[in-house]
Amino acid sequence: MSKDDVPNVAAWFQGGFHVFLRSFLKRHFHSVAIERGSRCDRSLDLQVDAPLIVYGNHPSWWDPLIAHFLNSALFPSRQFYAPIDAEALEQYRVFGKLGFYGVQLNSTSGAAAFLKNSVAILNHGRTAVWMTPEGRFADVRDHTAPLMPGLAHLCNKLEHGWILPIALEYAFWEERLPECLVKMGEPISLADHHHLDKPRWSELLTSHLRAAQADLSQQVINRSAEPFDHLLRGSRGGGLIYDSLRRVKSLATRRRFRAAHGEHFE
């Protein structure tokens, strides 16, 4: 894959997908919010011609959809790309129209193709490659598994740009629907670490991601929305029948009806 044949994503198709995606996420989440103090998206999005790799933990089925939403919300000047198992892409070909590109897992030729294609995409400019190098679904408290080597190999191939760890958690607080909570870790400059070999890259990438996960987990335990900025506000309340009964009670007691149960992300 050269610069000339980087997968093309039609703006009209992706725009329609984003309209659907926002509506879909609103129906399934009470909120999608990012920890305010960790945000570095504005500075990174200004450097649109510099390669950007975003990598995160992999707690759930929702992660690819959340990644696509986060890219559009945080890095609107960059086109989303993400490697995906080639067999899965063959089964869900629509993903190929949204920036996902196939990777043959567990083969030397597949690993070489992944590196070649990813470098071409990143050097194309105005792109971001999103990855979940845990390689499997993993509980947010499980920090024991090593990251798959592909990310460290990719970092070793690049001379400039940024690597950004992102931690995700899906937490049930006071609403029927969960919160999707996001924390950016400390960005890593490729230029400042070009001397690292692959094992040391792996150590650095792991430590940055696990630190972000640990910080986010503590904030989830604290159960406070104050440190977070809204990216999307979703559904509130407990459903039609339950909320109807609550409305009747509000009328009877002459109190204002509030769909939200608590103070989180009203």
Side-chain angles (χ1 to χ4, degrees):
M1 185 187 299
S2 67
K3 276 192 173 185
D4 294 330
D5 57 7
V6 168
N8 181 53
V9 178
W12 67 269
F13 186 84
Q14 183 168 257
F17 172 73
H18 284 158
V19 171
F20 157 78
L21 181 59
R22 288 185 66 87
S23 175
F24 188 62
L25 294 177
K26 284 182 178 182
R27 294 199 305 273
H28 289 86
F29 289 93
H30 178 241
S31 70
V32 178
I34 187 168
E35 200 269 337
R36 186 180 308 114
S38 71
R39 292 191 68 164
C40 57
D41 48 294
R42 296 172 181 87
S43 60
L44 291 179
D45 200 38
L46 291 174
Q47 305 176 50
V48 290
D49 289 325
L52 173 63
I53 301 171
V54 185
Y55 72 105
N57 59 315
H58 195 12
S60 87
W61 174 91
W62 286 99
D63 300 343
L65 296 179
I66 292 294
H68 222 300
F69 168 75
L70 291 176
N71 190 86
S72 66
L74 301 174
F75 304 109
S77 300
R78 294 179 179 269
Q79 173 58 50
F80 172 94
Y81 287 98
I84 187 174
D85 177 48
E87 292 185 7
L89 186 60
E90 184 67 23
Q91 186 175 0
Y92 303 103
R93 294 187 180 183
V94 68
F95 282 6
K97 299 179 180 180
L98 296 169
F100 293 89
Y101 57 102
V103 176
Q104 293 285 350
L105 301 176
N106 302 319
S107 75
T108 302
S109 60
F114 159 73
L115 291 174
K116 179 182 177 182
N117 295 345
S118 298
V119 168
I121 289 170
L122 290 164
N123 287 335
H124 188 64
R126 295 183 173 271
T127 60
V129 170
W130 290 67
M131 299 178 62
T132 51
E134 287 180 314
R136 59 176 176 82
F137 293 128
D139 190 276
V140 295
R141 290 163 292 273
D142 180 4
H143 298 179
T144 60
L147 302 186
M148 295 179 71
L151 177 58
H153 285 226
L154 181 57
C155 293
N156 191 247
K157 289 280 186 181
L158 298 169
E159 296 181 355
H160 72 287
W162 294 94
I163 317 297
L164 178 65
I166 282 189
L168 291 177
E169 283 209 31
Y170 304 95
F172 283 93
W173 279 352
E174 296 182 7
E175 297 296 326
R176 176 176 60 91
L177 297 177
E179 324 290 343
C180 173
L181 302 174
V182 184
K183 179 182 175 64
M184 290 183 168
E186 182 182 352
I188 304 168
S189 167
L190 279 158
D192 291 345
H193 297 86
H194 64 88
H195 59 284
L196 296 184
D197 58 16
K198 284 175 280 191
R200 292 175 66 191
W201 262 119
S202 183
E203 292 176 6
L204 182 65
L205 294 165
T206 300
S207 65
H208 277 241
L209 177 59
R210 299 316 187 195
Q213 285 182 257
D215 289 346
L216 180 59
S217 290
Q218 186 57 55
Q219 290 173 324
V220 172
I221 291 171
N222 293 340
R223 299 176 71 90
S224 171
E226 193 283 325
F228 294 88
D229 285 335
H230 276 292
L231 298 177
L232 180 143
R233 296 174 185 264
S235 299
R236 296 181 294 175
L240 178 61
I241 296 175
Y242 180 58
D243 284 344
S244 296
L245 294 173
R246 293 174 63 217
R247 287 181 186 275
V248 170
K249 181 179 178 180
S250 296
L251 289 171
T253 57
R254 297 184 179 182
R255 294 181 179 179
R256 182 175 67 90
F257 174 75
R258 292 172 61 253
H261 288 81
E263 304 300 323
H264 296 313
F265 301 120
E266 281 203 80

